[in-house]
Structures are given as C-alpha cells and as structure tokens.
Amino acid sequence: MGVTRSESGEHSTVAGDPAAGGPAPYDPRPRLRRRFFASLVLIGLLLGLLIGRLVDPGPVRLEAVQALPEGLRLRFDREPALHQEYLDGAFGMLVQAEGRDQQGELRIDGMPVRWRIQPSERGLLVNLVAVRALRVQWQGEERDGGWWMVFEVSPATP
C-alpha cells in the first residue's frame, strides 16, 4: 500500500485539513454570523424608531380662541400640561402647547382686561392684564373631540 505524502501534495485528503496535519482552512461562517446578527439589530432599531414615530401624537396644538362676555375660551386638540401664576392685576399661565400669537380685549364689569397668547420656547404664555387685581378661575374639560379650557375673569374683591 502506498503512503500519502503531505509534502509532495500527492495525498487524498483535502489541503489544509487539520486531521492531515495541515493548517486550518479559512472559515467565513463566524464573520457572516456577526454581519447577520448586526443587520438584525439594525433592522430592529429602525423598525422601533418607525413605530415610535407613528405612535407619537406630537405636540399639543391650540386650535381656537374665543372671547366670552365673562372671560376667554381656548380649544386644544388634547389636554396640555399647565403652570399658572398670579400677580397684582395680572394672571399668567404657561401651557405646554403650540400655537400662534393672538391678542384682544375683554370688558369685565366695565373694566378693560387685555389678553394675549404668545408662543415661547417652553410653550404658550396666556396673559390676562387689568388695571385692578383680577380673580381668574379656569376649568378644563374634554368635549367634542378636543380639550376646552375656559377662563372666568372677575375683579378681585379687596
């Protein structure tokens, strides 16, 4: 029986076979596995971002402003976060929403009350200003597919 000689290349085993004593051949499978799992992670991340964009409702929007005889009515597309502040003769509220600059004037018991809604970097500022101290009560409710906020303004009693 003949002897296979690995030195001469006249043997029946595959070149580079570790069983024949040769060097281990290059195996592309580990590199392909890393690429495959990295692409799965990337696709999952992109799908998650896409679903997040579709589900995110976006910022609250001011849809309408209406002056009433006793105050002011605002309509939003949904309920916003609020922060209010009182000063003598003024009332201010920061509403976490987007909208455009608007202003007007009310007459409450013969007293002129100026109102202004202005956008800022933190939301909408709703200001009510009068010569005398104001008492402002507000309430909000969900109605007709939106969120309504009503400000009832009256002179403050000393």
Side-chain angles (χ1 to χ4, degrees):
M1 195 159 143
V3 178
T4 59
R5 298 178 191 235
S6 59
E7 297 88 30
S8 66
E10 300 175 5
H11 51 79
S12 62
T13 59
V14 178
D17 186 10
Y26 172 72
D27 186 11
R29 285 181 294 178
R31 187 171 177 183
L32 289 176
R33 279 190 202 126
R34 278 185 263 148
R35 282 187 181 175
F36 174 73
F37 286 119
S39 65
L40 284 181
V41 168
L42 181 63
I43 289 171
L45 176 69
L46 292 175
L47 282 175
L49 289 172
L50 178 69
I51 291 171
R53 282 285 199 173
L54 293 174
V55 175
D56 183 27
V60 178
R61 298 220 28 97
L62 175 65
E63 294 178 344
V65 178
Q66 183 180 13
L68 304 173
E70 68 277 352
L72 198 61
R73 183 182 331 185
L74 308 176
R75 176 182 160 79
F76 296 93
D77 60 350
R78 64 181 188 281
E79 184 175 0
L82 308 168
H83 176 72
Q84 68 182 4
E85 195 172 304
Y86 280 98
L87 296 171
D88 286 339
F91 170 79
M93 179 177 280
L94 178 64
V95 181
Q96 299 286 323
E98 288 183 350
R100 59 185 176 87
D101 195 3
Q102 301 178 48
Q103 61 185 358
E105 185 173 315
L106 305 170
R107 286 267 178 206
I108 307 295
D109 293 339
M111 175 180 65
V113 177
R114 304 270 308 158
W115 62 270
R116 182 171 184 186
I117 299 172
Q118 60 186 23
S120 72
E121 58 188 38
R122 294 176 35 209
L124 286 177
L125 290 171
V126 178
N127 294 314
L128 298 164
V129 180
V131 177
R132 295 186 299 179
L134 293 175
R135 185 177 59 132
V136 179
Q137 294 180 339
W138 64 272
Q139 61 182 11
E141 64 179 332
E142 190 168 346
R143 183 178 62 193
D144 301 331
W147 200 76
W148 293 84
M149 181 185 294
V150 178
F151 294 96
E152 294 180 9
V153 182
S154 62
T157 55

